[in-house]
Amino acid sequence: MRLYRRNYNKAGKYTEYVFKIPLGLELKDFVDKHGKFKDGLNNRSARRINLKDFRNLKFDATLPKQIRAILENRVQLSKEIEMEYDGMLIMRVYDEGLQQSYDLTPEIIKAAKSWQVPLGVTLKGQVVHDFEKGPHILIGGATDMGKSNILNVIITVLLSNQPEDVEFTLIDLKGGLEFGIYENLPQVKNFATNAEEAKTALENVKDEMERMFNKLRSTGKKNVKALGVTKRHFVIIDESAELSSSGEQDREEKALKIECENLIKDIARRGRASGIRLLYCTQYPTAETVSSQVKRNLITRICLPVDTATASTVVLDEGGAEDLPLIQGRAIYKRNRCTQMQAYYISDEIIDKTVKPLIRIRPRKEERYVPLRKETPEKGGSYTTRFEET
């Protein structure tokens, strides 16, 4: 292979190599050997002197030994490789890979604009997801790999930056333990912990969606942004596998879950125009728990470590997540292409500081929605918009 260019990027801390791919080979041939390239780069250690260690020297008989240890200190290399193709093979070798943790700070939260949410860090920089451009997200990953932390990041950032305009339907099918802290917020319009409650919550969301579609049709607008509506309603389903009808033996329970599945499919298909955003999450990514109809409308994907290539394919439509290191928060974020990231870690302290003032200042209303059927005239007539003071 002929090397056309080699540059070191000081700001990005990487060396970029540009090659011409020989005839008969393609990018996939190199991507498939990513692990071998990485192991070859990191099969040795490098000397690293930390000047701060000199501050802790003890001036006694062991001083020469201490200085020798500092000067001879070696660390295992942890270089990382990225590859892409634009007519030439571009390989970037980063001096260091991703850290195992990056804290979400108030400064990072405040820097996010409009409906943007900072999700994590890649080798190239920050991942910021814009829910106006990618309204729905499919999130999958094995147990205890950081899925709930990502959801807490999204909820907290939205509450912090859009407290007047954000609304939530939280369906927590793990007993309400993950989302319990948010239950009494005025922004939470529906809260469910089982299939029966989930059905009611999803029906409420569908009623809201239909009301907005009626308004859009009557005004000739195509979506809520064109209509000037600033509110956005986020439907977050944690552990959607609990709503899967596949394998359910009880007839009534199966019928109930089928209704939930149909409601979710409808929200995924039509929710965008009406200002509804769907976050569909599961720790059991299979073809049964993540239907093709839902996947088609959830373009953005986040996959944390999974145990098989099949599970990775269910979430990402390709393998890769099965090879992620078993680090909480390590994930593949996919919009147009897959990018490995380390999700931000959000502390309970930041969540509490965001949530508690909202509960105290704006107490929860008991009445949520007026069902659509009570507002729709039986024959003809016109639609009347009713405003209620909260």
Side-chain angles (χ1 to χ4, degrees), residues 77-225:
L77 293 178
S78 61
K79 295 188 176 185
E80 187 58 77
I81 303 174
E82 277 191 343
M83 288 180 275
E84 61 182 62
Y85 182 75
D86 66 353
M88 303 287 280
L89 173 64
I90 301 172
M91 299 182 70
R92 297 186 184 94
V93 180
Y94 290 82
D95 296 344
E96 295 182 348
L98 292 171
Q99 298 177 23
Q100 294 195 13
S101 180
Y102 295 91
D103 291 336
L104 183 70
T105 64
E107 292 73 24
I108 294 174
I109 294 175
K110 290 178 182 178
K113 306 299 182 183
S114 186
W115 295 100
Q116 295 177 346
V117 174
L119 293 177
V121 176
T122 72
L123 291 170
K124 292 182 179 178
Q126 191 182 56
V127 174
V128 179
H129 181 77
D130 189 343
F131 279 99
E132 291 296 90
K133 297 179 180 178
H136 308 317
I137 302 181
L138 171 61
I139 304 176
T143 305
D144 200 33
M145 283 291 101
K147 177 166 52 64
S148 295
N149 177 78
I150 291 176
L151 295 178
N152 282 319
V153 166
I154 293 172
I155 294 171
T156 303
V157 171
L158 293 173
L159 285 172
S160 179
N161 293 345
Q162 299 285 351
E164 300 299 324
D165 288 329
V166 70
E167 296 178 343
F168 293 102
T169 286
L170 301 179
I171 300 177
D172 185 350
L173 298 169
K174 291 187 286 189
L177 300 179
E178 292 297 340
F179 295 153
I181 189 172
Y182 309 112
E183 182 177 2
N184 293 318
L185 287 174
Q187 290 88 349
V188 177
K189 303 304 178 182
N190 304 283
F191 191 90
T193 61
N194 56 54
E196 184 65 43
E197 293 174 352
K199 175 176 173 289
T200 301
L202 292 168
E203 286 176 336
N204 288 340
V205 173
K206 183 174 181 178
D207 283 351
E208 178 188 344
M209 184 171 69
E210 294 293 353
R211 282 195 291 272
M212 185 54 67
F213 274 119
N214 289 339
K215 187 180 293 186
L216 290 170
R217 283 193 293 268
S218 66
T219 57
K221 303 296 184 181
K222 292 183 178 181
N223 54 58
V224 290
K225 190 172 183 179

Side-chain angles (χ1 to χ4, degrees), residues 330-378:
R330 189 59 56 90
I332 293 176
Y333 171 83
K334 182 178 182 180
R335 280 282 287 161
N336 299 322
R337 58 190 294 267
C338 290
T339 304
Q340 188 175 152
M341 75 171 185
Q342 179 64 37
Y344 281 121
Y345 169 76
I346 185 167
S347 66
D348 291 341
E349 181 182 5
I350 289 182
I351 296 174
D352 289 342
K353 284 184 177 180
T354 302
V355 170
K356 287 181 179 178
L358 295 173
I359 294 176
R360 183 173 66 250
I361 295 172
R362 304 167 67 182
R364 177 183 179 183
K365 282 184 62 177
E366 290 302 321
E367 294 298 327
R368 297 302 187 185
Y369 290 114
V370 178
L372 178 65
R373 57 183 175 277
K374 293 183 180 180
E375 293 186 0
T376 305
E378 292 184 3

